[in-house]
Amino acid sequence: ALMKMENSFSLFSSGDPISVLGLGVSGVAAARLAYAHGAEVYASDASEGPAQRNAVKRLTAEGIDAEAGHHDVDRILASRLVITSPGIAPSTDIRRAIKDAAVPIVAEIEIAFRHLKSHVIGITGTNGKTTTTALCGHLLQRAGINSITAGNIGRPLSEVAMFENQPDWVVVELSSFQLADVESFRPTIGVLLNLATDHLDRYPTLECYHADKARLFSNADEDSQWVLNGNDAEVLAMADAVPGRKYLASIAVREELGAFVNDTGHLVQRLDLDTAPEPWIHVDEMQLVGEHNVMNGLLAGLAAALAGCESETVGVGLASFDGLPHRLQRVGEYDRVLWINDSKGTNVSAAKCAIAAFQRPVVSVLGGRHKGESYASLVPVLQERARSVITFGEAAPQIVRELGGMISVEIAHGMEQVVELAREVAQAGDVVLFSPACSSFDMFSNYQERGHSFERCVKSSYGENSEYEA
């Protein structure tokens, strides 16, 4: 069983009944953290798959009451506090019941923050969060700064809060779902990457989605430091009245504090208006592809510089970072056709950036589960860059309706046929870009599984064994 720790800045006292909704990684970590601080914890999940059953087994062995496939509603409503996992939408029956009963409910990230001694770099935005978080963490590590990445990137923040020796800095990827239920969360350095349309399958309006993003700034004060995308008007408008010092990242030269690409193509930082900008690296030395990744580099570099990284170290780190799986990841080049896995491109704006990242003609693969966003905004970049579109999954009929009159679109039934049709259409020198603009949940459990499936089918089609097995 876990050793219980002395209660510190909790929202509850020792012995208080606490419920945790969801038995994913964040829910399990929150249950362990609350238990370690003396709470009487009940954790539950409405689903009952292998992952949930395994979580119940582990928590039970540690002395924590947990069950899968059922919520004990009476017990949850009798709780002093409910900690919710980000995947459980406010529209679910259990969330509505909790709200009607006026039981306090907070995010896992909030509970973790209450017990965290580390400085926090909090990173949110519609696209590029994971890449920018990993890149920022990479820069801090290269600088020898005691740090770790956490949050939506994989490691729950509650897990870090239980470390006996917490790091000096935690770089936290924050989704809108995680930010929705925070109260006191306040990063030392907050980063807002961009704002676009997404998650309209969960939010009733775009304004509601952006309102959750804005909770990054909820507890801002004059000591706060904000790193902002200076080329995104909606980002600047959201942060306009927020207290604290602001640093802008820009693809073009700017005079404000921040980082930008200068006239010679170098990424540079300016943290003091009285001194000359300090160079990091030339754009061509970055391994990441596309202008959007230049912006990710500027934002990550700024946050790292504010956390103590020297400019020379930022440059070395930017040059050595080669990206993450399923994000404009090279699968291989066969018969002079380059195949790219960007399965993490789960919304239209992400797919648009991916298509624009290549100067070569593109065979664009779109499809999956529709997320409530029109595909019409892809038309200009597709007409400029794409040879053809291959579409698949639940969203295929809608993609054909919205794009078919303006560009060649073919429907594939299954991933093998996606690759087969793409091979038929692609010409030497082309890129086949798998950036679906949709979620994966019609055919796959997550975007990683979808990306692995694409890679397997590509390699199998060319007679090459894949490293990924079913």
Side-chain angles (χ1 to χ4, degrees):
L2 294 173
M3 181 179 296
K4 293 194 177 186
M5 298 183 291
E6 184 180 351
N7 193 289
S8 53
F9 303 103
S10 296
L11 286 165
F12 51 85
S13 302
S14 181
D16 278 346
I18 301 297
S19 290
V20 178
L21 296 183
L23 292 173
V25 290
S26 65
V28 169
R32 298 180 76 240
L33 179 62
Y35 180 80
H37 284 275
E40 297 298 326
V41 178
Y42 166 69
S44 61
D45 197 309
S47 299
E48 191 178 14
Q52 289 81 11
R53 289 194 295 270
N54 184 52
V56 168
K57 184 177 179 180
R58 286 186 289 121
L59 290 176
T60 301
E62 295 172 359
I64 299 170
D65 193 3
E67 66 175 324
H70 173 72
H71 292 304
D72 186 333
V73 177
D74 290 339
R75 185 170 181 181
I76 291 170
L77 299 186
S79 298
R80 167 73 177 79
L81 179 75
V82 175
I83 306 167
T84 183
S85 299
I88 302 177
S91 59
T92 57
D93 290 343
I94 187 63
R95 288 285 305 262
R96 286 200 299 264
I98 293 166
K99 181 179 180 180
D100 291 344
V103 179
I105 187 165
V106 296
E108 175 266 334
I109 212 98
E110 174 70 24
I111 291 295
F113 182 74
R114 298 279 184 132
H115 298 93
L116 203 63
K117 300 178 179 68
S118 311
H119 292 293
V120 171
I121 298 175
I123 298 176
T124 195
T126 301
N127 296 311
K129 293 185 294 296
T130 305
T131 294
T132 306
T133 300
L135 176 51
C136 188
H138 173 75
L139 297 176
L140 294 179
Q141 292 284 339
R142 288 300 299 255
I145 293 173
N146 181 19
S147 59
I148 198 168
T149 59
N152 201 47
I153 197 170
R155 184 197 303 271
L157 192 58
S158 291
E159 184 178 312
V160 181
M162 292 188 68
F163 288 176
E164 183 176 348
N165 296 307
Q166 293 184 18
D168 295 332
W169 287 88
V170 185
V171 188
V172 185
E173 179 187 342
L174 299 162
S175 70
S176 59
F177 303 163
Q178 290 171 306
L179 287 168
D181 294 298
V182 298
E183 290 183 356
S184 65
F185 180 80
R186 186 175 76 89
T188 308
I189 301 168
V191 183
L192 182 54
L193 306 177
N194 46 61
L195 290 169
T197 303
D198 200 6
H199 298 304
L200 294 184
D201 51 344
R202 171 152 169 167
Y203 290 97
T205 65
L206 180 62
E207 290 71 25
C208 291
Y209 165 56
H210 285 181
D212 278 352
K213 289 293 188 190
R215 293 181 70 84
L216 177 73
F217 304 110
S218 294
N219 299 293
D221 62 21
E222 295 304 322
D223 293 328
S224 297
Q225 298 182 90
W226 305 109
V227 174
L228 308 170
N229 183 335
N231 299 141
D232 190 313
E234 291 193 71
V235 166
L236 296 179
M238 180 178 285
D240 183 51
V242 173
R245 175 164 285 198
K246 295 160 189 171
Y247 300 83
L248 304 187
S250 176
I251 298 298
V253 176
R254 298 184 72 124
E255 294 303 321
E256 297 98 337
L257 294 174
F260 55 88
V261 180
N262 69 13
D263 293 335
T264 63
H266 288 84
L267 282 68
V268 301
Q269 72 178 41
R270 172 177 272 168
L271 303 186
D272 182 350
L273 294 179
D274 294 329
T275 60
E278 299 178 39
W280 288 346
I281 187 176
H282 194 276
V283 168
D284 293 342
E285 295 176 86
M286 291 184 66
Q287 296 190 52
L288 298 178
V289 177
E291 186 175 274
H292 64 293
N293 274 321
V294 175
M295 176 57 75
N296 291 339
L298 290 166
L299 292 159
L302 260 178
L306 292 173
C309 286
E310 299 291 337
S311 57
E312 182 179 352
T313 305
V314 172
V316 171
L318 290 174
S320 60
F321 186 77
D322 59 3
L324 297 171
H326 313 293
R327 295 160 179 84
L328 290 177
Q329 179 187 12
R330 180 189 176 99
V331 177
E333 187 156 1
Y334 306 94
D335 299 334
R336 294 184 57 208
V337 173
L338 177 61
W339 295 75
I340 297 291
N341 168 20
D342 190 47
S343 184
K344 187 60 171 67
T346 58
N347 58 55
V348 172
S349 60
K352 190 186 305 181
C353 287
I355 296 165
F358 296 94
Q359 299 302 313
R360 301 160 64 168
V362 171
V363 176
S364 174
V365 181
L366 304 171
R369 174 160 290 172
H370 183 59
K371 296 174 72 177
E373 183 182 3
S374 170
Y375 305 96
S377 65
L378 289 172
V379 170
V381 71
L382 286 171
Q383 288 181 329
E384 179 185 353
R385 303 288 177 92
R387 184 178 304 283
S388 179
V389 171
I390 309 295
T391 185
F392 70 103
E394 289 179 2
Q398 182 164 348
I399 290 171
V400 171
R401 285 195 301 271
E402 294 190 23
L403 303 182
M406 289 159 283
I407 191 166
S408 170
V409 182
E410 292 190 65
I411 294 180
H413 301 284
M415 195 64 74
E416 289 184 358
Q417 194 175 21
V418 163
V419 173
E420 179 184 328
L421 291 177
R423 282 194 67 173
E424 291 176 4
V425 171
Q427 299 179 17
D430 286 1
V431 176
V432 176
L433 174 62
F434 186 75
S435 189
C438 299
S439 80
S440 59
F441 302 129
D442 58 336
M443 298 166 62
F444 304 96
S445 60
N446 51 50
Y447 73 84
Q448 295 99 324
E449 183 182 311
R450 178 172 66 181
H452 292 331
S453 176
F454 175 70
E455 294 193 13
R456 274 198 305 271
C457 290
V458 171
K459 292 182 178 182
S460 175
S461 178
Y462 286 98
E464 181 179 331
N465 292 329
S466 171
E467 63 184 294
Y468 302 112
E469 299 298 332

